Amino acid sequence: MNTAGHSEATARRGLELSPFRGLRYDPDRVGSLASVTSPPYDVVVRPDGVHHLQSADPYNIVRLILPQAGTPSARTEQAADTLRRWLDEGVLTADPEPGLYVYEQRDESGLLQRGIIGALRVSEPAEGVVLPHEDVMPPVVADRAALMRATRANLEPLLLTYRGDGTAAEVVERTAGTPPLLATTTEDGFRHRLWSVTDPADVTRIQSDLARQQALIADGHHRWATYLRLRAEHPSPSPWDHGLVLLVDTARYPLRVRAIHRLLHGLPVADALAAVHGLFRVRRLDTPLAAALEALADASCAGNAFLLAGDGAFHLLDRPDPDLLARTIPADRPAAWRSLDATVLHATLLDHVWHIPEDSPAHIAYIHDTAATVAKAERDGGTAVLMHPVREEVVRDLARQGVTMPRKSTSFGPKPASGLVLRALEI
């Protein structure tokens, strides 16, 4: 743990964003732009989700970000071969000149998010420029690194946030008033638009503003760790010095912060409840999911709380035994970290009460969709642990202190759609 922290005032270098020649689908070669997009690779976690996307269009981006060949080496080779073929066939083509890209997402509820896509200089956490807030799982980083090595491409942008409200935001707003390069609506109801920024003066305005900024990784910790690994493998200067990102100014466009839930395989709800007897207050809720989540939100205002499901009901856990927390939670971290629900879940419940390894896919899955988590627990006989989201300011404050949260603590969104613009390192 880096206890020195990362203040914005002391960061020697800010964000260094470079234009690149984006790879984009030729709309005349695919069924539709919507049909070739996908959520980020780590959101498409179910095989049926991959199959659905593959069926949507033979050129769907999921064939690159989640190839389905048998072995790890076969999967990366398959992705590289697929990318080469699509480039040779003109399915993916490079824009004629380098640029930054303004990206907009808008949903049916009126949510509007805009940001800038570019190639960002990869920096170590100690530099205090790009701040992670979650730990990563080494096998996932190894998998993403193998895929990027084979394809020599950044196939989807990370989501980073900063708070600027300066000239970069002004360029974004002005650009969004012009005709876009592309516009499409995906099946989740989101409307997507993309513009290129190639005017040298506008590019300079954006770069100068961002050079004073510090970013938080909102989504993509494993891909950022992959960028770091690949940069270390290649002598600088090289294309691996940069990685594809989407930067959103949350002073203009606040992100939604949602929880990521846990599915505990092989642990029936009855066994989970028996193990916490006397350690937490437990209340059975025979209510619909929405009402149970409201009860969880209310309980979370007073302290740590979790909602267990999988047996046809909901069970609210709150008021943990203070002595239990004192025994199980490391005391060498800030109070804000020690009081996180994710900290209590991992350090207390998973490690000491249920004895479940957090990095074993055979024992635990991390799922964004609440209803899907409950349904799978009921179908498989496991336990769904539903979480209440943490506030963005808590995440940012801990990141500036150099303190990482337990993995999969937050889900920032909306996440950028994969497949609208890619970065090939050698184009």
Side-chain angles (χ1 to χ4, degrees), residues 64 76 84 243 276 294 340:
L64 298 181
T76 57
R84 281 193 294 267
V276 299
E294 288 181 8
L340 290 170

Side-chain angles (χ1 to χ4, degrees), residues 24-36 57 90-93 181-183:
R24 296 190 295 111
Y25 282 98
D26 181 343
D28 294 330
R29 300 296 306 274
V30 299
S32 72
L33 290 176
S35 68
V36 295
D57 193 287
V91 174
L92 286 169
T93 60
L181 286 176
L182 66 84

Side-chain angles (χ1 to χ4, degrees), residues 22 49 109 125 144 146 167 175 203 205 209 221 228 254 271 281 283 305 314 376-377 398:
S109 71
R144 291 294 100 184
T167 54
T175 302
V203 170
R205 289 185 186 99
D209 189 7
H221 283 83
L228 286 166
D271 293 350
R281 182 174 71 167
R283 288 176 284 167
F314 297 100
K376 186 162 180 59
L398 286 172

Side-chain angles (χ1 to χ4, degrees), residues 1 31 46 48 109 129 138 198-199 234 244 295 325 412 421-422:
M1 182 184 68
R46 303 190 311 275
D48 58 326
S109 71
V129 176
T198 57
D199 178 76
H234 297 83
L244 188 64
L325 300 183
F412 284 86
V421 61
L422 294 66

Side-chain angles (χ1 to χ4, degrees), residues 67 69-78 143 146-147:
T71 65
S73 61
R75 288 195 290 273
T76 57
E77 183 178 345
Q78 180 187 68
D143 175 75
L147 182 64

Side-chain angles (χ1 to χ4, degrees), residues 95-119:
D95 283 333
E97 57 182 319
L100 302 175
Y101 294 84
V102 170
Y103 175 48
E104 174 188 282
Q105 294 166 276
R106 189 190 300 263
D107 73 1
E108 297 164 333
S109 71
L111 180 143
L112 174 64
Q113 177 173 292
R114 290 176 180 148
I116 305 168
I117 295 175

